[in-house]
């Protein structure tokens, strides 16, 4: 039995360019996992091992690695920061016990930091904060601390203060011990000395230390009483209080440094060991039965309990499919048979490996609290639960957002069609936010994703990894349809051929619902005019028709169908007759209910230097955006808006032109809203054109 108290499952998450991957590199170097530091901007970082990651200097998929610090085992996941890959962060946070949120010292709390923080709050993950890049021009630790309070509504517990600013940044003061850690300029993380606090900082250190103690001792009434009587708690007591408060999410210990210059990372590692929870201190996952109802049981971290493990990421490489798995309870060994509760099929475990970015070490077994990869699983997808066949239960499944953008892809030669099909099915398994469909009319293959960059990367992976040359069509927006008024109608389906015929008559109403309500069906038939056994058939007829809307064939949302009355024939009526009646009624009635086209609206967050604000807002207005607010920061202005996705294609190019290359933006899906008449007419006309051409 392994000592789980010495385990830390942590993730590193942040906005694009805050320095997550660089921080991970430094951690691996300090813990002796790697001997040469790879740099992101040289395309040589350990955890960024995909070609696409190395070229673009961004992280695309989460990478897992294991290392040791102070006799503790750290399972670390480096997550992407770019908004199109948020799903990777979400998946990782589901299986982590703690996290390190990295913020840029000059950029501060950026848009994507907010999304990631929100995900972490939902998953109730304890976190530390690391304010990075304090050697940068315009870096200000205290401003970022204020932003954490104001923007994220979080409670930072400042644990260290920077010595020097921007170019003069040379070390940090540890507030607990009142020691100054000063590094030389060699870039060697071990080239530091522990000194006394600089004289000009002594007052600041005492002020902040006092704040730290006051926040920490709120966790223990006895310690608080003693403090009020004038007895300052010792460091071990303080650490215990900080640990308790961190795990309870009452505050977030906040550190500062510069990962690139190797300054301040040791303190963060110490804090991971000191304050972040081990697997046994985290709220256990609730178990649900095969129907999806909570059983009241929990997957407690215990090696002797039945197996409960969650597959949180699938990755395909040259050795076959790797299934990254977090084991919540029980043990998993080579040769075990496990049940996939989603598919209901059993599988035998072939190889278990511990991961280090893209290299691996074989192991014989793993137990509750471990994060490992299984090689060669067949039908497992992200979010599936692996359980003990004799005692099955499911962990809460993951929910993934619907894609908002699609493009058509076609292989450049006939021979590539099969290769492309195999490659795309592998990619769908790896990334649940990526979908592939075949257009029934034209026979085209459509790929759907969360944004332009997301699909751009997918096409690149097709070409490079899978060696499939494809042509890419124009991006298409995922429109939807709905109705805007209530209509009552009746429909009779009659078909008489030799022998028994088909008969079904339904009286029904259709009405619009609030956005986000989905489809609802109700029957108010009394007296048995439509026998109860046919109601599901009517519901099915309407429900299956929703996929193909009236205006332009887009799926329909947010409406209610009520079955009011009808009649049935003793011989000729059947479930199939009522289903056909509902489908035909849908086609006939929907045009009368004033159908309307809906378009996806995106939450847009634009950063611009002060002198270009007017141009940026003017441009957003031209794109039919609704400006929600502006916030002035030290280096520029953030404009928040909601804009239709169809108007935002190629926005990054225009934004950079307007702001001389200094502007940034991020966007994520918000909701569907009604399309203006002129836009709707153009969309419908374009769809009709495509259908004619096909």
């Amino acid at each position: 039995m392994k000592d789980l108290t010495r385990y830390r499952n942590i993730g590193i998450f942040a906005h694009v360019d805050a320095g997550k991957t660089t921080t991970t590199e430094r951690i691996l170097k300090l813990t002796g996992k790697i001997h040469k530091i790879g740099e992101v901007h040289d395309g040589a970082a350990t955890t960024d091992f995909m070609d696409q990651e190395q070229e673009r200097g961004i992280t695309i998929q989460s990478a897992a690695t294991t290392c040791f610090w102070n006799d503790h085992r750290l399972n670390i996941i480096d997550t992407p920061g770019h908004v199109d890959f948020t799903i990777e962060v979400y998946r990782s946070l589901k299986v982590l016990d703690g996290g390190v949120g990295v913020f840029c010292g000059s950029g501060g709390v950026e848009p994507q930091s907010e999304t990631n923080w929100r995900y972490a709050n939902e998953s109730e993950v304890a976190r530390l904060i690391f304010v990075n890049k304090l050697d940068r021009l315009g870096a200000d630790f205290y401003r970022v601390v204020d932003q954490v309070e104001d923007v994220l509504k979080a409670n930072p517990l400042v644990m260290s203060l920077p010595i020097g600013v921007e170019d003069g940044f040379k070390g940090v003061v540890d507030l607990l011990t009142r020691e100054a850690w000063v590094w030389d300029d060699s870039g060697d993380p071990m080239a530091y000395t522990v000194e006394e606090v600089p004289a000009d900082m002594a007052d600041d250190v005492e002020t902040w230390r006092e704040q730290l103690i006051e926040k920490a001792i709120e966790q223990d009434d006895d310690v608080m009483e003693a403090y009020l009587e004038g007895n300052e708690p010792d460091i071990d007591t303080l650490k215990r209080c900080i640990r308790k408060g961190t795990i309870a999410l009452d505050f977030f210990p906040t550190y500062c440094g510069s990962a690139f210059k190797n300054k301040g990372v040791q303190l963060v590692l110490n804090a991971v060991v000191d304050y972040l929870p081990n697997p046994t201190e985290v709220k256990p996952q609730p178990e649900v039965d095969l129907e999806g109802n909570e059983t009241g049981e929990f997957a407690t971290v215990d090696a002797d309990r039945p197996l409960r493990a969650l597959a949180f990421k699938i990755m395909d490489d040259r050795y076959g499919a790797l299934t990254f798995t977090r084991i919540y309870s029980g043990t998993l060994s080579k040769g075990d048979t496990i049940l996939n509760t989603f598919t209901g099929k059993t599988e035998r475990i072939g190889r278990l490996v511990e991961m280090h970015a893209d290299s691996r070490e074989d192991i014989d077994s793993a137990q509750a609290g471990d994060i490992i990869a299984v090689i060669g699983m067949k039908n497992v997808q992200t979010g599936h639960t692996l359980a003990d066949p004799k005692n099955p239960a499911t962990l809460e499944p993951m929910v993934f957002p619907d894609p908002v953008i699609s493009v058509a892809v076609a292989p450049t030669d006939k021979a590539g069609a099969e290769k492309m099909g195999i490659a795309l099915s592998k990619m769908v398994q790896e990334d649940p936010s990526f979908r592939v469909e075949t257009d029934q009319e034209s026979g085209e293959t459509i790929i759907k994703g969360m944004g332009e960059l997301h699909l751009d990367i997918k096409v690149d992976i097709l070409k490079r990894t899978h060696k499939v040359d494809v042509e890419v069509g124009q991006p298409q927006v995922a429109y939807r349809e709905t109705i805007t008024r209530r209509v009552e109608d009746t429909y009779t389906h009659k078909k008489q051929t030799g022998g028994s015929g088909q008969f079904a008559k339904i009286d029904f109403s259709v009405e619009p619902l609030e956005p986000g309500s989905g489809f609802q069906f109700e029957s108010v038939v009394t007296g048995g005019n439509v026998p109860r056994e046919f109601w599901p058939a009517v519901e099915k007829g309407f429900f299956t028709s929703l996929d193909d809307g009236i205006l332009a064939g887009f799926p329909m949302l947010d409406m209610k169908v009520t079955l009011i009355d009808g009649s049935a024939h003793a011989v000729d009526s059947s479930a199939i007759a009522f289903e056909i009646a509902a489908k035909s009624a849908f086609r006939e009635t929907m045009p009368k209910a004033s159908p309307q086209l809906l378009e996806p609206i995106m939450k847009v967050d634009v950063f611009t230097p002060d002198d270009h604000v007017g141009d940026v807002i003017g441009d957003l207005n031209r794109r039919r955006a609704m400006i929600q607010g502006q916030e002035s920061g030290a280096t520029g202005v953030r404009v928040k808006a909601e804009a239709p996705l169809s108007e935002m294609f190629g926005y990054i190019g225009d934004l950079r032109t307007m702001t001389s290359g200094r502007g940034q933006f991020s966007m994520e899906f918000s909701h569907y809203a009604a399309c203006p008449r002129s836009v709707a007419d153009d969309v419908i006309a374009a769809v009709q054109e495509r259908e004619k051409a096909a």
Side-chain angles (χ1 to χ4, degrees), residues 341-392:
T341 57
F342 186 82
T343 58
K345 293 183 177 156
T346 53
E347 284 199 45
R348 202 163 165 274
I349 301 287
R351 282 177 69 194
L352 295 177
V353 289
E354 257 179 19
M355 295 301 294
H356 172 55
D358 61 344
S359 64
R360 58 201 62 161
E361 290 157 28
D362 275 271
I363 52 173
D364 291 329
S365 73
Q367 64 161 45
D370 278 330
I371 294 181
I372 49 138
V374 185
I375 297 180
M377 302 270 276
K378 292 288 183 293
N379 298 312
V380 177
Q381 288 189 349
T382 300
H384 287 184
T385 302
L386 312 178
D388 183 341
K390 296 188 194 74
N391 186 344

Side-chain angles (χ1 to χ4, degrees), residues 515-533:
S517 309
F519 171 73
Q520 292 176 14
F521 177 82
E522 184 186 10
S523 171
V524 293
V525 177
T526 51
N529 288 349
V530 178
R532 191 177 282 269
E533 67 260 30

Side-chain angles (χ1 to χ4, degrees), residues 410-594:
T412 46
D413 55 0
K414 288 271 171 44
E418 191 179 343
K419 259 177 85 178
M420 182 175 91
I422 295 168
L424 285 173
S425 69
K426 281 184 179 170
M427 286 159 69
V428 167
Q429 274 192 325
E430 289 174 19
D431 181 353
S433 60
F434 175 65
R435 311 268 169 89
V436 178
E437 288 173 13
T438 305
D439 189 303
Q440 297 300 324
E441 302 286 320
S442 63
E444 287 181 313
T445 302
I446 312 285
I447 59 173
K448 300 182 168 186
M450 302 311 293
E452 279 182 282
L453 179 68
H454 191 195
L455 291 184
D456 195 22
I457 298 270
K458 294 296 176 198
V459 169
D460 203 31
I461 293 174
L462 265 182
K463 289 179 178 171
R464 283 216 223 160
T465 313
H466 299 285
K467 308 286 188 284
V468 181
D469 270 334
V470 290
E471 287 173 354
V472 182
Q474 284 298 310
Q476 302 294 327
V477 177
Y479 290 99
R480 294 286 183 266
E481 298 178 22
T482 189
I483 53 173
T484 54
R485 69 191 189 97
R486 186 176 186 274
V487 172
E488 279 192 26
D489 211 346
T490 178
Y491 187 85
T492 307
H493 170 66
K494 237 184 202 158
K495 197 172 180 189
Q496 200 63 49
T497 50
S500 67
Q502 288 182 354
F503 177 82
K505 176 174 182 282
I506 51 173
D507 298 347
F508 61 95
S509 70
V510 294
E511 58 192 299
L513 292 176
E514 290 291 312
S517 309
F519 171 73
Q520 292 176 14
F521 177 82
E522 184 186 10
S523 171
V524 293
V525 177
T526 51
N529 288 349
V530 178
R532 191 177 282 269
E533 67 260 30
F534 298 144
W535 294 0
V538 176
E539 181 176 1
K540 187 182 170 190
F542 279 111
F543 185 70
T544 50
S545 305
L546 292 175
D547 287 344
D548 193 12
I550 299 292
L551 291 171
F554 293 110
M556 295 195 75
L557 301 175
D558 307 328
M559 55 188 277
K560 180 177 179 180
V561 175
T562 308
L563 182 61
I564 300 169
D565 204 358
S567 58
H569 188 277
V571 177
D572 291 352
S573 287
S574 62
I576 196 83
F578 274 96
E579 191 177 325
I580 294 169
K583 284 182 174 173
S584 307
F586 179 90
R587 290 270 146 238
E588 205 168 89
T589 305
M590 288 305 154
K592 303 174 190 170
S594 309

Side-chain angles (χ1 to χ4, degrees), residues 196-260:
E196 282 189 8
V197 173
D200 58 340
M201 287 181 69
D203 292 349
D204 276 356
V205 166
E206 288 311 311
T207 310
W208 282 96
R209 192 170 189 272
E210 200 169 308
Q211 282 184 19
L212 180 158
I213 293 173
E214 283 171 3
K215 271 189 193 173
I217 59 174
E218 284 175 5
Q219 301 293 324
D220 189 321
D221 292 344
D222 295 344
V223 177
M224 193 166 189
E225 255 177 58
Y227 180 71
L228 292 172
E229 285 165 12
N231 301 320
E232 189 176 293
D234 58 25
I235 286 182
D236 287 342
T237 307
L238 278 174
K239 280 187 174 175
R240 192 183 75 242
C241 291
I242 295 169
R243 181 177 185 86
K244 188 180 169 193
T246 307
I247 294 171
L249 306 186
D250 289 339
F251 45 67
F252 304 95
T254 302
Y255 291 82
C256 56
S258 161
F260 182 56

Side-chain angles (χ1 to χ4, degrees), residues 154-183:
N155 186 3
L157 181 73
V158 176
M159 302 290 293
S160 65
L161 297 182
I163 305 172
V165 295
E166 300 177 357
D167 289 350
F169 175 69
K170 59 183 187 187
V172 300
V173 173
D174 181 352
L175 290 178
L176 269 187
T177 57
R178 298 191 178 90
E179 291 171 342
W181 293 53
V182 179
W183 281 263

Side-chain angles (χ1 to χ4, degrees), residues 253-376:
T254 302
Y255 291 82
C256 56
S258 161
F260 182 56
K261 295 280 176 58
N262 275 313
K263 295 173 182 175
V265 179
Q266 285 99 322
L267 278 82
V268 177
L269 274 171
N270 292 339
V272 165
V273 168
D274 287 341
Y275 307 128
L276 287 183
N278 64 49
T280 59
E281 293 173 308
V282 179
K283 255 198 268 183
Q285 288 273 350
E287 293 181 5
V288 294
D289 59 20
L290 299 181
E291 276 74 55
N293 307 312
E294 287 204 9
T295 58
E297 292 285 316
F298 290 88
T300 319
V301 179
D302 181 351
D304 300 326
R305 285 180 65 89
L307 175 70
R308 306 280 183 261
L310 186 71
F312 67 96
K313 179 176 168 62
I314 314 283
M315 202 168 99
D316 201 77
D317 69 358
R318 56 188 185 275
Y319 302 110
L322 279 171
T323 307
F324 284 83
T325 306
R326 161 77 196 261
I327 305 174
Y328 285 101
S329 70
T331 51
L332 187 62
S333 307
K334 273 196 325 198
D336 281 358
T337 300
I338 53 105
L339 172 73
N340 178 346
T341 57
F342 186 82
T343 58
K345 293 183 177 156
T346 53
E347 284 199 45
R348 202 163 165 274
I349 301 287
R351 282 177 69 194
L352 295 177
V353 289
E354 257 179 19
M355 295 301 294
H356 172 55
D358 61 344
S359 64
R360 58 201 62 161
E361 290 157 28
D362 275 271
I363 52 173
D364 291 329
S365 73
Q367 64 161 45
D370 278 330
I371 294 181
I372 49 138
V374 185
I375 297 180

